[in-house]
Amino acid sequence: METSVRLYALGYDKVKTYLFAALFILGNLLLPQLCHLIPSGGLILLPIFFFTLIGAYKYGIYVGLLTAIFSPLCNYWLFGMPGEAMLPVILAKSVILAIAAAIVAKKTQKISLIALAVVVLAYQIPGVLIEWFSLHNLQPALSDFRIGFPGILTQVFGGYLVLKALSRV
């Protein structure tokens, strides 16, 4: 279940970097809105992270960081989600996700379920610690693992399918 990944190391000086980032930010705006049609859909499916994972894994750290930073900010400015108290936590998790995805993709040069599971754990574990520190409460910090487990699985398996499809183009 491994596929070689054709990485695109796009820099901040490339127009394509901003075009790809804009597409992934748009995805991170639309997917959460769809998920919020389901009661607690955002908490269950963790949609704000999906296209950050894809962008950083396929197109590198610059696309990943732009997507990671502007997706939560644009969602907050446009829709008030995530809430103001959670915005710094979501931003931190998103940035860690972008860095982890870009590093794992560069190191492995493969799309695999194991690599994507490593990426997701690499941002979720520090994310729990950041959220715990921020909220001073472990219960909500563990919600991504308790309530959001379907979202974690979607990131790994859905990310795998999307990245495999993108590897053909």
Side-chain angles (χ1 to χ4, degrees):
M1 295 196 104
E2 281 189 359
T3 303
S4 292
V5 62
R6 183 172 169 203
L7 296 174
Y8 295 92
L10 300 174
Y12 286 123
D13 59 334
K14 306 285 186 216
V15 172
K16 286 183 181 180
T17 300
Y18 299 97
L19 293 175
F20 281 121
L23 287 173
F24 291 122
I25 292 165
L26 182 62
N28 275 345
L29 288 171
L30 296 175
L31 186 59
Q33 293 309 305
L34 289 173
C35 290
H36 286 295
L37 296 174
I38 302 166
S40 298
L43 295 173
I44 295 168
L45 298 172
L46 310 173
I48 192 72
F49 302 112
F50 188 76
F51 288 104
T52 301
L53 169 68
I54 303 302
Y57 204 96
K58 177 68 177 173
Y59 297 101
I61 191 69
Y62 299 114
V63 170
L65 286 174
L66 287 168
T67 306
I69 293 166
F70 287 102
S71 293
L73 289 174
C74 290
N75 268 291
Y76 176 73
W77 292 328
L78 294 171
F79 307 112
M81 294 297 287
E84 190 173 333
M86 286 304 295
L87 185 59
V89 173
I90 299 298
L91 278 165
K93 286 182 176 182
S94 294
V95 167
I96 295 167
L97 169 59
I99 293 167
I103 289 170
V104 169
K106 190 172 184 174
K107 294 269 186 211
T108 64
Q109 298 284 309
K110 302 234 183 286
I111 301 166
S112 73
L113 291 172
I114 292 171
L116 291 171
V118 166
V119 169
V120 171
L121 287 175
Y123 93 88
Q124 281 293 342
I125 292 170
V128 165
L129 298 174
I130 291 166
E131 196 166 346
W132 184 15
F133 178 76
S134 174
L135 301 176
H136 308 288
N137 189 342
L138 184 59
Q139 285 293 66
L142 292 171
S143 69
D144 281 4
F145 286 106
R146 290 183 303 107
I147 300 166
F149 195 69
I152 289 171
L153 292 176
T154 300
Q155 290 169 21
V156 173
F157 290 99
Y160 176 80
L161 294 174
V162 170
L163 286 165
K164 280 200 51 120
L166 286 174
S167 71
R168 295 183 190 137
V169 271

